[in-house]
Amino acid sequence: KGLHHHAQLKEQPIFSTRAHVFQIDPNTKKNWVPTSKHAVTVSYFYDSTRNVYRIISLDGSKAIINSTITPNMTFTKTSQKFGQWADSRANTVYGLGFSSEHHLSKFAEKFQEFKEAARLAKEKSQEKMELTSTPSQESAGGDLQSPLTPESINGTDDERTPDVTQNSEPRAEPTQNALPFSHSSAISKHWEAELATLKGNNAKLTAALLESTANVKQWKQQLAAYQEEAERLHKRVTELECVSSQANAVNTHKTELNQTIQELEETLKVKEEEIERLKQEIDNARELQEQRDSLTQKLQEVEIRNKDLEGQLSDLEQRLEKSQSEQEAFRNNLKTLLEILDGKIFELTELRDNLAKLLECS
């Protein structure tokens, strides 16, 4: 609540969106740990007093993101709906799961825009710091802690993070020094009051951090055996939230799918009928094959009988030829006998004639 009240007083939201918030597991540095049970509002804030851009997200009364944008930060899209950036001050990596690719692209564009603005502000601040006097720098030096201490809310160690913050980027928000250079004595009181307010906020944030750390440890104990399943289910929830925003399109698609299913069922029915017809044709083909095999066997038997008959015919032809040759020889013999018989008859006729002559002469 202290951080939110402070943001309302000093900072104004310039862009807001909704996303699921994750932080990298401080132990493994690989797995994502969800820090919001559902989609929450994530906003870019601009502190006009210090010319600083922040990313802030509250889950109820607890700040789950409080990250100051610096020129060396990079927002990376790791998928169509998920992006991440590393915050060395908070000693963690933040991850955001969006409901659509458009929301992710818009957030990334704003990140790049405000990162460039932070870079220009840093360059201007460095130029002005070169012209300032030592007392002004000293008075401003005490204020460097004011924007840094709230960052400890997302650290892994409530006592260690502020020290790391001061050492890691001592000039991340130097633009605030450009305002009080001409009136350092008057504005130093303002910074002291601001520092006191931030210290009070820091105490509240530290208590929130302790509560958050205890909750994280409890979650780790409860979800150690189900961590992979929880990540998969959470991604599925993100996808379903995206799908729920397009319910009409899904219903239309569902109707189309039902029509497609009906068409496929009709096609399947036709195919089944065609399969039955093909089965009958296969049965008929099998019967024809059996008839063919039977006829082939009978043909083979006929061919064997034909060969036997051909052999018998050949024997008969040989016997006929032999009979004809014997008959021809018999004829020739008979003819010869007839010729001999004719000669003998002629001789007997002559003998008769001679005998008759002899009778007549006597």
Side-chain angles (χ1 to χ4, degrees), residues 14-65:
I14 51 180
F15 176 77
S16 297
T17 185
R18 291 186 68 81
H20 288 266
V21 180
F22 300 83
Q23 283 192 35
I24 202 71
D25 191 328
N27 296 324
T28 63
K29 298 295 183 181
K30 294 180 180 179
N31 299 323
W32 289 106
V33 178
T35 55
S36 65
K37 296 180 180 179
H38 48 78
V40 295
T41 300
V42 181
S43 302
Y44 286 98
F45 279 81
Y46 175 61
D47 185 349
S48 58
T49 304
R50 293 190 293 271
N51 197 14
V52 169
Y53 294 89
R54 301 180 191 275
I55 301 174
I56 295 175
S57 179
L58 298 176
D59 188 4
S61 61
K62 182 171 60 176
I64 55 177
I65 298 179

Side-chain angles (χ1 to χ4, degrees), residues 235-270:
K235 291 179 180 178
R236 181 60 179 165
V237 167
T238 304
E239 295 175 358
L240 290 176
E241 285 187 352
C242 176
V243 172
S244 65
S245 65
Q246 303 172 349
N248 293 332
V250 170
N251 290 332
T252 304
H253 186 58
K254 180 180 178 181
T255 304
E256 294 176 353
L257 287 177
N258 288 333
Q259 294 177 353
T260 304
I261 289 173
Q262 291 179 355
E263 294 175 357
L264 290 175
E265 287 178 349
E266 293 176 356
T267 304
L268 180 61
K269 188 176 181 180
V270 173

Side-chain angles (χ1 to χ4, degrees), residues 67-91:
S67 179
T68 301
I69 299 176
T70 61
N72 60 345
M73 282 185 178
T74 302
F75 184 80
T76 305
K77 299 179 183 178
T78 57
S79 70
Q80 290 184 347
K81 298 179 183 179
F82 195 87
Q84 66 183 50
W85 79 94
D87 189 337
S88 60
R89 294 182 166 195
N91 192 28

